[in-house]
Amino acid sequence: MKNYPTPHINATPDDFAKTVLMPGDPLRSKFIAENFLEDAKLVNNVRGIQGYTGFYNGTKVSVMASGMGIPSIGIYSYELFNFFDVDNIIRIGSAGSINMDVKVRDLVFAMGASTNSDYARQFQLPGTFAPIADYTLLKTAINQADSVGANYHVGNILSSDTFYNAQEDFNERWIKMGLLCIEMETAALYMNAAKARKHALGLFTISDHILTGESLSAELRQNSFTEMMEVALKTAVEMDNL
């Protein structure tokens, strides 16, 4: 019995590639489709969550937005993994650095994703689940970052449920644990991938530095994000060839 279309994705499995790049912003999906993919077609636009499929260097690749936050990416990644036969999801997003060694415009690969979310509670595990990246995706993406000469960091990040946190020392407590940056989606993506026996990776461009107050202008943000997009697309091609 088919499980598609869903209330959130009006498509079929054939509409998607095996690897989906997943920015938070639907307009970033559109930007990638228009500037990097050949023969890109809009395959989903339910609730304005734009999804496209096209070709990059001859390889079929999809890009679809997740929206903001763990509940939103939890829905879209679950459906792609379980209903649309997607094998790999690479989250490509922005993040705020909480580490003085992680600079604005640097790339960050989330080897692990700590979180203050209760998303894992649904699995009723007799302990604490550690959301981690797929090793093959991580290794492949790092190799691609090396090939383009990117400045990057690999380690633990925070997927926060709260953008505005009422706890005044919230950031400081995570800083003491050596985390690299904060974003709002990756932990749920990693959990969904683990449950579905699929593959996921969180890749970020540092758009602002929470400790110094530095942030990217609109022009620099676009240029820096382009490097991240290129790394993710090259990774998608390599994964298709494995």
Side-chain angles (χ1 to χ4, degrees):
M1 181 178 179
K2 71 176 185 179
N3 293 302
Y4 58 86
T6 72
H8 315 98
I9 304 176
N10 185 19
T12 71
D14 289 340
D15 290 323
F16 289 100
K18 290 300 183 181
T19 298
V20 176
L21 275 57
M22 184 162 276
D25 186 353
L27 293 180
R28 198 173 301 149
S29 292
K30 186 173 186 288
F31 178 87
I32 295 170
E34 291 179 345
N35 290 277
F36 289 93
L37 300 184
E38 295 181 358
D39 300 324
K41 296 181 180 179
L42 182 69
V43 297
N44 184 67
N45 199 25
V46 177
R47 295 174 178 259
I49 296 295
Q50 297 179 33
Y52 298 85
T53 296
F55 293 86
Y56 181 78
N57 290 346
T59 297
K60 186 178 179 181
V61 180
S62 296
V63 54
M64 192 177 84
S66 70
M68 287 194 297
I70 280 175
S72 188
I73 199 171
I75 291 171
Y76 290 108
S77 62
Y78 183 94
E79 292 184 357
L80 289 173
F81 282 143
N82 293 284
F83 302 153
F84 294 94
D85 295 337
V86 169
D87 291 333
N88 313 300
I89 295 179
I90 304 173
R91 163 156 160 69
I92 48 172
S94 59
S97 174
I98 55 171
N99 187 304
M100 292 304 296
D101 293 329
V102 180
K103 311 297 185 183
V104 169
R105 301 181 69 175
D106 286 357
L107 301 186
V108 172
F109 296 91
M111 184 165 57
S114 298
T115 187
N116 62 344
S117 169
D118 281 340
Y119 194 82
R121 182 177 295 184
Q122 65 181 303
F123 305 118
Q124 298 185 333
L125 300 169
T128 302
F129 181 78
I132 59 172
D134 175 74
Y135 176 75
T136 301
L137 266 179
L138 177 62
K139 180 180 179 182
T140 302
I142 289 172
N143 288 341
Q144 297 307 316
D146 285 333
S147 74
V148 300
N151 293 319
Y152 65 85
H153 309 265
V154 183
N156 200 359
I157 62 98
L158 175 65
S159 295
S160 179
D161 258 352
T162 48
F163 189 87
Y164 301 104
N165 196 286
Q167 185 178 340
E168 292 184 359
D169 63 346
F170 179 82
N171 291 340
E172 285 73 15
R173 293 190 181 201
W174 289 108
I175 289 168
K176 290 178 181 178
M177 298 303 294
L179 271 63
L180 301 178
C181 62
I182 301 177
E183 53 88 64
M184 301 187 72
E185 289 84 20
T186 300
L189 172 62
Y190 285 2
M191 291 185 217
N192 281 351
K195 188 67 166 58
R197 300 294 193 274
K198 298 296 181 75
H199 316 287
L201 174 65
L203 168 58
F204 320 104
T205 298
I206 297 299
S207 59
D208 59 282
H209 205 296
I210 294 172
L211 303 182
T212 67
E214 183 183 1
S215 61
L216 291 176
S217 67
E219 182 179 359
L220 290 176
R221 184 182 294 247
Q222 179 172 319
N223 291 339
S224 296
F225 282 19
T226 298
E227 182 178 60
M228 173 180 63
M229 294 168 190
E230 183 179 358
V231 168
L233 287 163
K234 288 176 178 292
T235 301
V237 171
E238 289 299 311
M239 292 300 295
D240 194 69
N241 292 327
L242 292 180

